[in-house]
Amino acid sequence: FEKNKKLYLHLSVQRDGDDVGELSAWTLDGTDLTQQGTILRVSQPYPNHNAGQIVFGQDGMLYVGMGDGGWRNDPHNHGQNGATLLGSLLRLDVDKKDDGYTIPIDNPFIDNPAVADEAWAIGLRNPWKFSFAPDGRAIVADVGQNAFEEVSIVTAGDNLGWNTREARHCFPPNS
């Protein structure tokens, strides 16, 4: 995705034997593609459920889908741990001259010390695909555990419930 004459790319890669999600900025001058830097790097405990889609919203902010980091049942409880960037839909302002981002001052959790300021919504398992409705709500496809896949309408500040809920159902199912 392009903004400010920069291209943005999110990858799930291995660095020094660890799985990480990396968001980077690039410039394209003719046929010369140059990486400007890594904007965000998030450790992933497992090589699956890392999501990674990026989209510029109608508000000009960059949204990044971050999975819970993988494995079954979210063993590290990332979905309900707002302090981690995992299991979240992030909202970043990349409208800067240098390489990096700022946190939009109207992000919904900015005054909540229990949730990362970058988070726009939490409680997601693997938000692998999303887009925006004309009113700014996100339509998010999220992977279920065993029984339910879900497509959710998400607004700023939502907690979709993973790993205490799978779609609208209690998780684990016998709880």
Side-chain angles (χ1 to χ4, degrees), residues 33-147:
L33 183 64
T34 306
Q35 185 173 359
Q36 297 302 301
T38 299
I39 295 172
L40 179 68
R41 181 176 285 137
V42 179
S43 292
Q44 304 278 3
Y46 304 100
N48 64 331
H49 290 179
N50 297 329
Q53 181 186 356
I54 58 175
V55 171
F56 282 102
Q58 294 131 325
D59 57 5
M61 300 300 156
L62 183 63
Y63 290 79
V64 182
M66 295 298 297
D68 68 6
W71 209 244
R72 62 182 156 267
N73 303 329
D74 190 13
H76 300 288
N77 198 37
H78 291 140
Q80 291 302 305
N81 179 1
T84 179
L85 298 180
L86 298 172
S88 301
L89 188 58
L90 310 180
R91 181 174 178 252
L92 311 174
D93 185 351
V94 294
D95 202 9
K96 297 179 61 168
K97 296 207 184 311
D98 61 356
D99 302 320
Y101 67 90
T102 58
I103 296 167
I105 61 171
D106 59 344
N107 268 9
F109 297 107
I110 203 147
D111 292 323
N112 183 342
V115 180
D117 291 342
E118 291 90 341
W120 189 76
I122 64 171
L124 295 153
R125 184 163 192 235
N126 191 35
W128 64 276
K129 182 74 173 168
F130 58 94
S131 60
F132 289 93
D135 64 3
R137 295 180 300 167
I139 300 142
V140 179
D142 198 9
V143 174
Q145 174 68 35
N146 292 322

Side-chain angles (χ1 to χ4, degrees), residues 141-161:
D142 198 9
V143 174
Q145 174 68 35
N146 292 322
F148 305 98
E149 303 294 311
E150 70 183 276
V151 175
S152 299
I153 306 296
V154 181
T155 59
D158 280 354
N159 180 342
L160 281 290

